[in-house]
Amino acid sequence: MTPSQYNQCVYELADSLYRFAWKSIGDSEEAKDVVQQAFTVLWEKREEVPPDKGKSFLFTVTYRKCMDVHRLRGRTTDTERLHENILSEQPRANDLKRILQQALATLDTRSRNLVLLKDYEGYSYEEIAKVTELNTTQVKVYLHRARKLLKNYLVSKEHV
């Protein structure tokens, strides 16, 4: 990967990587750090990463860095803190957007990341399997369960 191809990756993917990291971690500053670390890793390995694999490589690194952040925070995710961070940093203009963020905050880390990769970033099941080091069947099962939980949460919000 040449420096200009690297710069093109930064230009095209920085916002998507930040959005993914922020929604996964729930903290703007940590998300910025994770994205910066991912780009640093890509720069250090630019000779080994083919230009057409830059996106996959960056999302894999970002996913792993997000998982590291969750591990450092401890096994139990404080969903209330995550929920508060998401709401405080997100514009309150749209109630539906706020409710979707609340619903995502109720999911465990793996489920939230899978939903973000599939439904927000548009990755295929096979691509998600590579990024997360799960097999395709596991990705489909975990996504199905996560979407079921999201549906139940959203349906319960209709009555409130």
Side-chain angles (χ1 to χ4, degrees):
M1 176 177 290
T2 66
S4 65
Q5 291 168 325
Y6 171 84
N7 289 335
Q8 188 65 29
C9 277
V10 172
Y11 177 77
E12 291 177 0
L13 300 173
D15 290 341
S16 297
L17 290 169
Y18 171 75
R19 183 176 53 248
F20 171 74
W22 178 71
K23 289 182 180 188
S24 173
I25 298 169
D27 182 274
S28 177
E29 292 305 312
E30 280 186 301
K32 289 176 187 175
D33 289 343
V34 163
V35 172
Q36 182 63 45
Q37 291 168 11
F39 281 119
T40 300
V41 171
L42 177 60
W43 179 255
E44 291 168 351
K45 298 187 182 264
R46 69 187 178 280
E47 302 296 327
E48 303 165 30
V49 179
D52 61 329
K53 300 293 184 190
K55 180 179 178 182
S56 176
F57 181 85
L58 283 167
F59 269 96
T60 300
V61 172
T62 302
Y63 170 80
R64 290 178 181 160
K65 297 286 183 187
C66 288
M67 295 306 289
D68 290 344
V69 168
H70 287 291
R71 279 188 211 101
L72 287 173
R73 288 181 180 170
R75 293 282 177 196
T76 56
T77 303
D78 184 0
T79 55
E80 287 181 30
R81 186 173 70 94
L82 178 62
H83 172 75
E84 289 170 6
N85 285 342
I86 288 174
L87 290 180
S88 67
E89 295 177 21
Q90 187 115 22
R92 295 180 181 236
N94 187 339
D95 284 342
L96 180 58
K97 193 173 187 179
R98 182 180 52 81
I99 291 169
L100 287 172
Q101 293 301 329
Q102 288 173 334
L104 277 174
T106 64
L107 296 176
D108 64 272
T109 303
R110 178 181 17 204
S111 298
R112 183 172 45 256
N113 287 336
L114 291 175
V115 169
L116 292 172
L117 287 170
K118 179 68 175 154
D119 297 330
Y120 280 73
E121 300 302 330
Y123 270 77
S124 70
Y125 293 114
E126 293 77 19
E127 291 171 321
I128 294 170
K130 287 179 186 174
V131 167
T132 60
E133 297 180 346
L134 299 169
N135 67 47
T136 307
T137 304
Q138 288 173 309
V139 170
K140 290 178 182 179
V141 168
Y142 291 140
L143 268 170
H144 174 75
R145 291 177 185 163
R147 287 176 176 153
K148 192 172 177 180
L149 289 170
L150 288 172
K151 178 183 172 188
N152 290 339
Y153 179 87
L154 294 172
V155 168
S156 72
K157 284 294 180 186
E158 286 181 4
H159 302 294
V160 175

